[in-house]
Amino acid sequence: MSRATGRVPYVAAANIAFRKSAWRGYDTAATQGGDELGLLRELRRRGPVAFDAANPVFTSARRMRRGLAYNVAVTFLFYYVLGYSLNRLTGRTVVGMAPSFRAEESR
């Protein structure tokens, strides 16, 4: 996406670096991706944001155990798109965070 549009569309908090002077805080009340989108908006206001493909991050694939359809429909469309949009529009938490998958693994 970055190469095609010239803009970084999303940042993952798992692998992000920025100047200390650009840090204004982290919105812990934002739900499912809203915290990263808020951080990205703030960083854009402070200067250019770049994507570095040579700096990968490895993460868990726990959510993929439910399958691609579940992840697209539930995790992405419901929690990230609908939930984030409703919460931002209303200014309060209407849709909470996606459920954790750690509890299932410990059973």
Side-chain angles (χ1 to χ4, degrees), residues 32-55:
Q32 211 65 37
D35 48 355
E36 284 99 350
L37 288 171
L39 179 58
L40 178 60
R41 272 194 296 280
E42 181 63 30
L43 292 174
R44 280 187 183 139
R45 281 188 214 115
R46 313 276 296 157
V49 176
F51 175 75
D52 183 0
N55 190 19

Side-chain angles (χ1 to χ4, degrees), residues 27 29-31 82-95:
D27 185 2
T31 56
L82 179 66
Y84 172 76
S85 300
L86 281 175
N87 295 344
R88 190 169 157 111
L89 184 68
T90 62
R92 64 185 182 88
T93 302
V94 176
V95 177

Side-chain angles (χ1 to χ4, degrees), residues 10-69:
Y10 186 75
V11 294
N15 192 17
I16 185 173
F18 47 87
R19 289 189 175 97
K20 184 178 178 181
S21 61
W23 178 254
R24 294 283 191 225
Y26 196 70
D27 185 2
T28 57
T31 56
Q32 211 65 37
D35 48 355
E36 284 99 350
L37 288 171
L39 179 58
L40 178 60
R41 272 194 296 280
E42 181 63 30
L43 292 174
R44 280 187 183 139
R45 281 188 214 115
R46 313 276 296 157
V49 176
F51 175 75
D52 183 0
N55 190 19
V57 64
F58 299 98
T59 187
S60 169
R62 283 189 308 269
R63 291 196 188 277
M64 290 307 292
R65 291 186 185 144
R66 295 242 175 134
L68 182 61

